[in-house]
Amino acid sequence: MAEPPRLTGQVPLLQVFDMTTAWAFYRDMLGFTVVSRSPEVDTDEGRFSHWMWLKRDAVEVMLNTAYDSNERPDAIDAARWAGHGDVCLYIGCDDLDLLHTDLRARGLDVAPPHDTPHAMRQMSLTDPDGYQICFQGPK
């Protein structure tokens, strides 16, 4: 029997309320850059791309607006976005202390890494849309 096809990666797609805010967070606070994006559009909400594919080192994530142009409400519907707290992106890191220093220098108020009972060190934060991000590495 032939070898099955090889899977080559995974990129989560996160629905965001405000692309400008989400992009600024991932770029300025977490250090991601754009791999690809949809064309920018002019809307009542401002000028932005509805979709972005981002990368920092070996980590990739995609952001997509939850609303079409000119359809985003003025405020977040708490019930719709409550489920984001159930989503956590675990991102491996080879030096959590250095990452903590980097994130603090970028202006992010994040608690220092801590040891967990399951032989890991972790540092967690929440993005502007309520998604949990946990950076981790071995103790």
Side-chain angles (χ1 to χ4, degrees):
M1 181 172 193
E3 290 291 319
R6 213 171 59 86
L7 302 180
T8 60
Q10 176 185 7
V11 183
L13 175 69
L14 304 177
Q15 297 294 315
V16 300
F17 180 76
D18 182 321
M19 181 61 82
T20 303
T21 299
W23 166 229
F25 178 81
Y26 280 86
R27 177 192 63 218
D28 299 338
M29 298 294 126
L30 300 184
F32 281 79
T33 59
V34 172
V35 173
S36 185
R37 70 167 99 196
S38 62
E40 288 188 345
V41 293
D42 288 309
T43 72
D44 292 343
E45 300 93 5
R47 183 174 177 78
F48 56 87
S49 299
H50 277 284
W51 169 84
M52 290 185 175
W53 177 9
L54 310 176
K55 185 172 184 171
R56 176 176 171 177
D57 304 319
V59 177
E60 300 175 46
V61 65
M62 291 186 292
L63 306 177
N64 194 71
T65 55
Y67 300 95
D68 288 332
S69 296
N70 306 316
E71 293 182 0
R72 188 180 77 202
D74 292 333
I76 289 177
D77 175 0
R80 177 178 180 173
W81 296 86
H84 290 196
D86 289 340
V87 174
C88 186
L89 304 176
Y90 282 83
I91 299 174
C93 179
D94 60 2
D95 189 332
L96 284 173
D97 294 310
L98 185 58
L99 178 62
H100 179 256
T101 300
D102 177 61
L103 296 178
R104 298 282 298 185
R106 292 172 180 270
L108 193 58
D109 184 17
V110 60
H114 64 279
D115 293 342
T116 70
H118 49 279
M120 299 297 288
R121 291 194 76 216
Q122 296 181 334
M123 177 176 57
S124 298
L125 56 95
T126 304
D127 85 355
D129 289 284
Y131 295 107
Q132 304 296 309
I133 301 172
C134 178
F135 296 99
Q136 68 177 8
K139 262 193 214 181

